[in-house]
């Protein structure tokens, strides 16, 4: 059985067709998923998804890209984290890809938001789901300064260098690979995936984005996760069933959950 460690089932394109997505997941043996929260406004919907299936869980957090949304306080995140089935804080982190004419110095609001999430993770003991894009140095710096080595979690949809992977692993983080790993031009990323120890690997779809090859450009769903697993299996030189088993165990260990045999209640 495969576990999708990062998907956005509440997003348009997926939310309207959950019954079909669930049937496709069952057919593809994708038996569990972490539903990721990206705004406080969205939390109730993400949480309802988590409560609708034994093997769905939720995170609580505000994505670094989201502007013009409610700004979370540590207290807000702690309150959301008290809900059943909330097993992670995030997704959070730094994203300097779309600066929209601003300098990195002017993105202090993002770093401050990130610190708030790190503090919430420290208070709750929940792992962080980290999003980092064009900002790996600052992401690691803020984590080290604020986290003091006491928070763990996962760097999701990893696209950074081997050096960044090593630094994240040294801080105790897991690394999650998405469909990007299957893209033709992702040679460097495949090298990173070959390097990351299997007991620290997770797999994800980041649905509805980043459908793996041969579905690149189409709407992604958790049912396409085995294509990511196949790519990891190829790089590691082991069977895809072993990738499924190991990444499932890793997911259970990191998020402190146990996946049950049936997918629906
Ligand atoms: Zn992300
Ligand atoms: Zn995401």
């Amino acid at each position: 059985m495969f576990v999708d460690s990062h998907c956005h089932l509440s997003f348009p394109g997926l939310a309207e067709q959950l019954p079909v997505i669930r049937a496709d997941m069952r057919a593809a043996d994708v038996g569990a998923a972490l539903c990721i929260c990206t705004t406080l406004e969205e939390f109730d919907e993400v949480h309802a998804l988590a409560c609708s299936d034994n093997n769905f869980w939720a995170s609580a957090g505000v994505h670094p890209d989201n502007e013009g949304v409610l700004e979370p306080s540590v207290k807000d995140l702690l309150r959301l984290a008290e809900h059943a089935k909330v097993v992670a804080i995030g997704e959070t982190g730094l994203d300097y890809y779309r600066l929209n004419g601003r300098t990195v110095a002017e993105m202090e609001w993002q770093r401050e938001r990130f610190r708030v999430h790190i503090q919430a993770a420290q208070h709750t003991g929940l792992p962080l789901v980290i999003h980092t894009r064009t900002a790996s140095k600052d992401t690691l710096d803020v984590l080290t300064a604020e986290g003091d080595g006491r928070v763990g979690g996962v760097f999701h949809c990893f696209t950074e260098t081997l050096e960044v992977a090593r630094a994240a692993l040294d801080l105790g983080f897991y690394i999650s690979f998405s469909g990007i790993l299957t893209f033709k031009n992702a040679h460097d990323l495949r090298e990173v995936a070959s390097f990351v120890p299997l007991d620290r690997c997770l797999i994800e779809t980041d649905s509805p984005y980043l459908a793996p090859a041969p579905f690149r450009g189409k709407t992604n769903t958790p049912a396409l996760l085995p294509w990511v697993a196949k790519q990891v299996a190829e790089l590691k030189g082991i069977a895809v069933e072993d990738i499924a088993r190991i990444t499932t165990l890793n997911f259970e260990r990191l998020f402190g959950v146990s996946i049950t045999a049936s997918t629906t209640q």
Side-chain angles (χ1 to χ4, degrees), residues 6 8 63 91 131 156-157 206:
H6 192 114
H8 297 280
H63 193 290
E91 63 179 293
H131 168 110
H156 107 88
C157 192
D206 206 8

mmCIF file of all heavy atoms in Angstrom, residues 6 8 63 91 131 156-157 206, ligand 1:
data_model
loop_
_atom_site.group_PDB
_atom_site.id
_atom_site.type_symbol
_atom_site.label_atom_id
_atom_site.label_comp_id
_atom_site.label_asym_id
_atom_site.label_seq_id
_atom_site.Cartn_x
_atom_site.Cartn_y
_atom_site.Cartn_z
ATOM 1 N N HIS A 6 1.510 14.152 0.888
ATOM 2 C CA HIS A 6 1.210 15.577 0.678
ATOM 3 C C HIS A 6 0.259 15.746 -0.502
ATOM 4 O O HIS A 6 0.643 15.541 -1.661
ATOM 5 C CB HIS A 6 2.516 16.332 0.402
ATOM 6 C CG HIS A 6 2.387 17.828 0.447
ATOM 7 N ND1 HIS A 6 3.005 18.597 1.412
ATOM 8 C CD2 HIS A 6 1.738 18.692 -0.357
ATOM 9 C CE1 HIS A 6 2.741 19.879 1.200
ATOM 10 N NE2 HIS A 6 1.965 19.970 0.119
ATOM 11 N N HIS A 8 -3.559 18.057 -1.845
ATOM 12 C CA HIS A 8 -4.502 19.148 -1.591
ATOM 13 C C HIS A 8 -5.870 18.758 -2.134
ATOM 14 O O HIS A 8 -6.317 19.289 -3.147
ATOM 15 C CB HIS A 8 -4.002 20.432 -2.252
ATOM 16 C CG HIS A 8 -2.694 20.920 -1.708
ATOM 17 N ND1 HIS A 8 -2.595 21.623 -0.535
ATOM 18 C CD2 HIS A 8 -1.425 20.775 -2.169
ATOM 19 C CE1 HIS A 8 -1.311 21.909 -0.293
ATOM 20 N NE2 HIS A 8 -0.585 21.398 -1.269
ATOM 21 N N HIS A 63 0.476 28.509 3.973
ATOM 22 C CA HIS A 63 1.528 28.419 2.956
ATOM 23 C C HIS A 63 2.254 29.762 2.801
ATOM 24 O O HIS A 63 1.615 30.814 2.832
ATOM 25 C CB HIS A 63 0.849 28.030 1.635
ATOM 26 C CG HIS A 63 1.783 27.605 0.561
ATOM 27 N ND1 HIS A 63 2.623 28.484 -0.075
ATOM 28 C CD2 HIS A 63 2.016 26.396 0.006
ATOM 29 C CE1 HIS A 63 3.330 27.826 -0.988
ATOM 30 N NE2 HIS A 63 2.973 26.553 -0.947
ATOM 31 N N GLU A 91 1.375 23.529 5.442
ATOM 32 C CA GLU A 91 2.737 23.642 4.997
ATOM 33 C C GLU A 91 3.239 25.058 5.207
ATOM 34 O O GLU A 91 2.511 26.030 5.011
ATOM 35 C CB GLU A 91 2.893 23.200 3.533
ATOM 36 C CG GLU A 91 2.139 24.011 2.506
ATOM 37 C CD GLU A 91 2.403 23.459 1.097
ATOM 38 O OE1 GLU A 91 3.545 23.555 0.600
ATOM 39 O OE2 GLU A 91 1.454 22.950 0.501
ATOM 40 N N HIS A 131 7.873 23.757 2.975
ATOM 41 C CA HIS A 131 7.883 24.102 1.547
ATOM 42 C C HIS A 131 9.024 25.093 1.365
ATOM 43 O O HIS A 131 9.063 26.124 2.038
ATOM 44 C CB HIS A 131 6.529 24.732 1.188
ATOM 45 C CG HIS A 131 6.479 25.380 -0.145
ATOM 46 N ND1 HIS A 131 5.761 24.869 -1.207
ATOM 47 C CD2 HIS A 131 7.045 26.524 -0.611
ATOM 48 C CE1 HIS A 131 5.893 25.653 -2.256
ATOM 49 N NE2 HIS A 131 6.667 26.681 -1.922
ATOM 50 N N HIS A 156 9.012 18.889 1.861
ATOM 51 C CA HIS A 156 8.112 18.286 0.881
ATOM 52 C C HIS A 156 8.467 18.726 -0.532
ATOM 53 O O HIS A 156 9.077 19.774 -0.730
ATOM 54 C CB HIS A 156 6.659 18.609 1.257
ATOM 55 C CG HIS A 156 6.000 19.618 0.380
ATOM 56 N ND1 HIS A 156 5.347 19.258 -0.780
ATOM 57 C CD2 HIS A 156 5.907 20.954 0.481
ATOM 58 C CE1 HIS A 156 4.872 20.357 -1.347
ATOM 59 N NE2 HIS A 156 5.196 21.392 -0.612
ATOM 60 N N CYS A 157 8.072 17.905 -1.492
ATOM 61 C CA CYS A 157 8.295 18.182 -2.919
ATOM 62 C C CYS A 157 9.727 18.664 -3.153
ATOM 63 O O CYS A 157 9.953 19.732 -3.717
ATOM 64 C CB CYS A 157 7.287 19.215 -3.404
ATOM 65 S SG CYS A 157 7.261 19.366 -5.179
ATOM 66 N N ASP A 206 1.518 15.927 -4.218
ATOM 67 C CA ASP A 206 1.248 17.367 -4.233
ATOM 68 C C ASP A 206 0.068 17.673 -5.161
ATOM 69 O O ASP A 206 -0.001 18.741 -5.754
ATOM 70 C CB ASP A 206 2.491 18.177 -4.637
ATOM 71 C CG ASP A 206 2.473 19.606 -4.085
ATOM 72 O OD1 ASP A 206 1.589 19.917 -3.268
ATOM 73 O OD2 ASP A 206 3.335 20.411 -4.486
HETATM 74 ZN ZN1 LIG B 1 4.460 23.164 -1.219
#
